[in-house]
Amino acid sequence: MSNAELIGQDPGWVIALKGVIIFAACVFLTIMSVWGERRIVARMQQRSGPNRVGKFGLLQALVDGVKLALKEDLIPKTADRIVFVLAPIISTTACFMAFAVIPLTGEVNFFGHQTAMQLTDLSVGVLYVLAIASVGVYGIVLAGWSSGSTYPLLGGLRSSAQVISYEVAMGLSLVAVFIYSGSMSTSEIVAAQDRWWYAVILFPSFIIYAISMVGETNRAPFDLAEAEGELVGGFHTEYSSLKFALFFLSEYVNIIAVSALATTLFLGGYRALPGLGFTEQWLGGWFTLVWFFIKVLAFFFVFVWLRGTLPRLRYDQFMKFGWKVLIPFSLAWIMIVSILRVMSQRESSNFLVVAFIFSVALIYIGITSLTDRAKVKTAIASKVINSKEPDFPVPEIPNSRAEQLNG
Amino acid sequence: MADELVPRSDEFGLAKSDAAKVPITNHESSSLGKQLLGFWVTFKTMFKKVNTVQYPEVKEPTAERFHGRHQLNRHPDGLEKCIGCELCAWACPADAIYVEGADNKEGEQFSPGERYGKVYQINYLRCIFCGLCIEACPTRALTMTNEYELADDTRAKLIFEKDDLLGPLRAGMVPPPHPMYPNTDDGNYYRGEVTGSHPSQGIAKND
C-alpha cells in the first residue's frame, strides 16, 4: 500500500494529532537549532558559545524567546499598521506549511492506527512546497515595504529578488528528480530512491539545490538581505518583540524545511543509510524518524559550517552567480538528464549513450575555450585603455581594475 | 596648488603608469581546492581548546598598567596627597572629575601644606579611562588601580565620592584630620622624607 493510500485512511483525530506533533517538532527543532548553531559557530571561532542557561546553555534559545516576548512592541508611525502586523504572520505560517508534505517515517503504528508520519501526501507535493516558499517571500517583501523606512525597504527588495532568483535555480534542480522518479509526490520520490540516492545519481542537481537552498533561506554567505554593515538589519529593522521573534523563528524553520526537502528528494528521506536497512524495522518503524532527523541535522550543520567559514557575497556577484551560472548550468543539465532518460527508456544501444556523453563533453570543451579566448581579448582591450594616460592627474580608472579583479 | 593634487605614485614602489598595468591576481584563490581549505580550517578549529575565560568564576589578572578605577593616595602618615588644585579636572577630556578645594585649618589638617581637596567626585558614566588626570596630578595623589568591575544599576552610584576613592589606611597611618609630622613642612612630605606617623599625630593603625 502506498503512503498516499495509507494516509488517505486517517481518521480526523489522527490528522489533528499529527499536525500538532509536526508543529511542535518544528518549534522544538528550531529552538534547539538556534542553540546548536550558536554553539557550533562558537566552536569554529574557538569560543564556547552560550553555556549559562541550563546544562550546556540548552535553554538559551527558550530564554531569549521569553526576553523577546517581554520587550516593547514598537510599530513605527510611518508604518502601514495592518500589513506590518500581517507580514511576520505570513512569513511564519508559510514556513510551517511546507512541513505538511514531508514524510518523516515509513509505515508505523500511530496509537493503534497504521499510518505514515506525514500530514498529507499530495501528488504534486514538491510543487506545493515551492509554491509555499514563494508565499513566504510575501512576508519579507511586505515587511520591508510596510515598515515605512528606507533600510527595510531596500532589505526587503534585495531579499525578495534573491529568493525569487534562487527559487528558479531550485525549481530547475528539482526537475531532474521529477524526471527520474516520475512523480512529484514526496513519498513516491523517497520510495524511488530505495536503490540509489538521487544525491549520487543526480549529483549536479544536488549541488545546485544545495547552493540555491542557502540563497533561498537568506543565509550566510548569501545573507545580503540583512547585511548589517549596509542595511542595519534588512527587512526586519523596524520589528521588535514578538513580531521579530516570528521572523527569527521563520528563518530557522525555513532552514529546517529546505533541509528536510533536500533530505527527502536527494538523500532518501527517512530511509536508513545504505547497508543499514535492517534498522528501518526497529521500534515498529519509528526508528526511521531518527534517520530522517540525522540527515536533516547534517544539512543544518552544513548551513552553520558555511556561516562559520565564508564571508558575505557582494550583491551583484550573488545575482550574477544565480542567473549567469546556476540557471544556465541547471538548464543544460536538465537537457542532458532528460536525453539520457529517454535513451534508457527506449533501451538505446550503449554506443549511442557513449556517443552522446562524448559529444556533450566536446561541446563543453568548445564553449570553455571560446570564453577563455574572450577573456584574453578583454584583457588585451583593457590594457589598451590603460595605456592612454592623460597628462593631468586623475584617480585610478576603476573599470579596468574591477575587470581584472572579476575576470 | 596643482602640486598638492598629484596622487601618490609610489604606492607599490612603482610609477603610477606601471601600477595600472600590473594585473591584480589573487594567487591564493586560484584553485578551488585552496578555497575549500577554509572549510577545513573552521572544522579543525571546532576541536581546539576554546579561548573563552569563564569570567565571573574565573578572573584573569589584568595587564600590569591597566587603566581601572582611580584611587586617591595618602602620605605614609595618613595625610591625603590631594591638594585640591583641580588640575585633574582641567585635564579631563570627558569632564568627569569635579574638585572643590578648601584651606587646611589649625586642628583640621587633611593634607600637608595649605590646601586639600574637600569635595572630590569622579563620574564613571563619563570617565573614558584615558589617564590624563593621572599625568596632570602634581602630587601623585591620583593614580589608577586595576579594578574594572564598575557596573552598577543607578547613575548616582556611579558618581564616586572622595570616600569611595581614597586609598585604604595602611599600618602606621593615622586617619586625617591630624597635624603634620612634627618639625616638617610640605616639602619634606614631597621629597619622601616622612616615612610614618609620629605619636603626637594620633593613634596609628597597627596591623
Side-chain angles (χ1 to χ4, degrees), chain A residues 40 42-49 51-52 301 305-306 308-310 383 386-387 389 393-396 400-401 404-405, chain B residues 5-7 11 16-17 19-24 38-40 42-43 45-52 54-57:
Chain A
I40 295 170
R43 292 308 297 241
M44 285 178 173
Q45 298 163 351
Q46 250 184 312
R47 300 181 287 115
S48 54
N51 60 356
R52 294 272 143 194
F301 176 76
W305 198 2
L306 284 171
T309 308
L310 297 175
K383 268 188 187 166
N386 281 342
S387 66
E389 284 280 328
V394 286
E396 277 175 293
S400 58
R401 286 180 74 87
Q404 283 164 354
L405 278 172
Chain B
L5 291 173
V6 173
E11 204 176 345
K16 183 174 177 268
S17 52
K21 279 175 199 155
V22 175
I24 298 164
F39 284 94
W40 173 240
T42 43
F43 191 78
T45 311
M46 282 204 311
F47 304 102
K48 282 187 182 164
K49 198 171 165 287
V50 293
N51 275 332
T52 314
Q54 297 300 328
Y55 163 61
E57 291 91 32

Side-chain angles (χ1 to χ4, degrees), chain B:
Chain B
M1 285 302 283
D3 290 349
E4 288 173 11
L5 291 173
V6 173
R8 262 193 305 166
S9 58
D10 54 349
E11 204 176 345
F12 306 107
L14 296 165
K16 183 174 177 268
S17 52
D18 290 337
K21 279 175 199 155
V22 175
I24 298 164
T25 44
N26 186 355
H27 293 288
E28 288 298 311
S29 68
S30 54
S31 72
L32 187 66
K34 274 182 180 162
Q35 288 185 24
L36 291 181
L37 216 60
F39 284 94
W40 173 240
V41 171
T42 43
F43 191 78
K44 208 170 53 184
T45 311
M46 282 204 311
F47 304 102
K48 282 187 182 164
K49 198 171 165 287
V50 293
N51 275 332
T52 314
V53 177
Q54 297 300 328
Y55 163 61
E57 291 91 32
V58 182
K59 284 176 188 167
E60 297 245 312
T62 59
E64 217 173 301
R65 304 185 64 175
F66 177 82
H67 285 190
R69 206 204 66 179
H70 299 80
Q71 175 173 296
L72 285 172
N73 299 310
R74 293 171 191 275
H75 286 291
D77 68 347
L79 283 179
E80 293 159 14
K81 284 188 176 177
C82 180
I83 52 169
C85 69
E86 298 186 26
L87 280 179
C88 48
W90 281 92
C92 184
D95 200 8
I97 306 181
Y98 176 76
V99 182
E100 242 177 59
D103 286 336
N104 281 319
K105 288 181 201 113
E106 197 67 41
E108 206 182 325
Q109 181 108 22
F110 287 91
S111 71
E114 293 168 24
R115 304 267 291 171
Y116 75 103
K118 191 180 180 199
V119 179
Y120 199 100
Q121 295 179 340
I122 297 183
N123 185 346
Y124 281 104
L125 294 163
R126 300 198 68 137
C127 178
I128 57 170
F129 300 93
C130 62
L132 288 182
C133 43
I134 279 57
E135 288 182 31
C137 186
T139 61
R140 212 109 175 93
L142 193 64
T143 53
M144 277 170 142
T145 63
N146 286 353
E147 193 190 328
Y148 53 86
E149 289 172 323
L150 291 169
D152 221 320
D153 52 4
T154 62
R155 280 156 198 272
K157 280 187 205 162
L158 282 161
I159 298 172
F160 280 48
E161 295 284 347
K162 192 174 164 187
D163 300 343
D164 309 318
L165 295 166
L166 266 175
L169 283 165
R170 294 186 199 291
M173 288 182 174
V174 179
H178 60 72
M180 286 162 68
Y181 200 85
N183 305 321
T184 58
D185 61 0
D186 43 341
N188 298 108
Y189 274 89
Y190 297 138
R191 284 191 291 275
E193 284 157 16
V194 176
T195 52
S197 58
H198 189 266
S200 69
Q201 288 179 300
I203 302 150
K205 220 174 157 223
N206 54 357
D207 52 344

Side-chain angles (χ1 to χ4, degrees), chain A residues 111-174:
Chain A
F111 298 108
H113 187 84
Q114 281 304 115
T115 182
M117 224 18 218
Q118 179 182 3
L119 197 54
T120 177
D121 194 5
L122 299 171
S123 52
V124 288
V126 183
L127 275 194
Y128 160 83
V129 174
L130 288 179
I132 286 296
S134 319
V135 174
V137 183
Y138 275 101
I140 293 171
V141 77
L142 288 179
W145 176 77
S146 68
S147 294
S149 118
T150 320
Y151 286 130
L153 183 63
L154 289 172
L157 286 177
R158 262 195 189 188
S159 195
S160 46
Q162 172 180 342
V163 174
I164 289 167
S165 321
Y166 274 70
E167 223 159 58
V168 177
M170 193 186 228
L172 287 175
S173 74
L174 300 182

